[in-house]
Amino acid sequence: MEKATILIVDDDPDITEAMKIVLENQDYNVKTANGIEQAMESLKAGCPDLMILDVMMNTQQDGFILSRQLKQDDKYKNIPILMLTAVQEKTGLDFSPAAGDETWLPVEEFMSKPVKPDVLVQKVEALLNKA
């Protein structure tokens, strides 16, 4: 059975590469994008089974913008999104699902950066099993 395809969207090449290695070692097909534009190009080429999305890229709200765009589009709205952020650590803002608003922040799960490899794999597997 072929493993799922995961799209990682993050402007930090070190984080992107580290996550890619971890997930490819679990036999996932991994695509990467360094911002909204590359993410949209990748999505047009084919929908991933899961997206890992950074909050702050080109602007401080790129991740929020992209997640809202995707959840409002019938073609992409069912892609589970795992949002990674260092914002909570830096600002103290709570991004837990209970604290969020589905319209403002329509993602399935949050994780703080940096992410431990085993925790990343567990979250990815849990979200894919839900989907």
Side-chain angles (χ1 to χ4, degrees):
M1 184 174 156
E2 188 174 314
K3 284 281 191 163
T5 298
I6 299 168
L7 174 60
I8 300 170
V9 185
D10 196 311
D11 63 339
D12 184 329
D14 294 333
I15 289 175
T16 302
E17 189 60 26
M19 285 192 293
K20 182 177 181 182
I21 290 168
V22 167
L23 295 170
E24 284 180 340
N25 282 335
Q26 298 296 315
D27 294 324
Y28 289 107
N29 299 314
V30 181
K31 297 178 180 182
T32 63
N34 70 5
I36 291 177
E37 295 80 19
Q38 278 191 2
M40 292 308 295
E41 287 175 24
S42 183
L43 287 165
K44 288 174 186 171
C47 285
D49 298 293
L50 174 78
M51 180 182 292
I52 298 174
L53 179 60
D54 185 24
V55 172
M56 295 186 294
M57 291 178 281
N58 225 13
T59 71
Q60 289 187 347
Q61 59 259 43
D62 275 0
F64 300 135
I65 292 166
L66 182 57
S67 65
R68 286 193 298 265
Q69 284 176 350
L70 296 177
K71 295 301 184 179
Q72 292 172 2
D73 188 318
D74 286 340
K75 186 174 181 180
Y76 306 120
K77 70 181 180 183
N78 294 321
I79 299 169
I81 298 174
L82 169 58
M83 186 167 272
L84 297 180
T85 180
V87 171
Q88 188 170 352
E89 184 178 294
K90 292 178 181 178
T91 66
L93 294 173
D94 183 2
F95 288 110
S96 65
D101 173 319
E102 287 184 17
T103 304
W104 182 72
L105 205 52
V107 300
E108 282 64 34
E109 191 73 48
F110 287 95
M111 290 184 70
S112 293
K113 287 182 182 179
V115 178
K116 292 181 180 178
D118 58 327
V119 175
L120 175 65
V121 171
Q122 289 171 2
K123 283 287 188 195
V124 165
E125 289 175 355
L127 284 170
L128 288 170
N129 287 332
K130 278 186 191 176

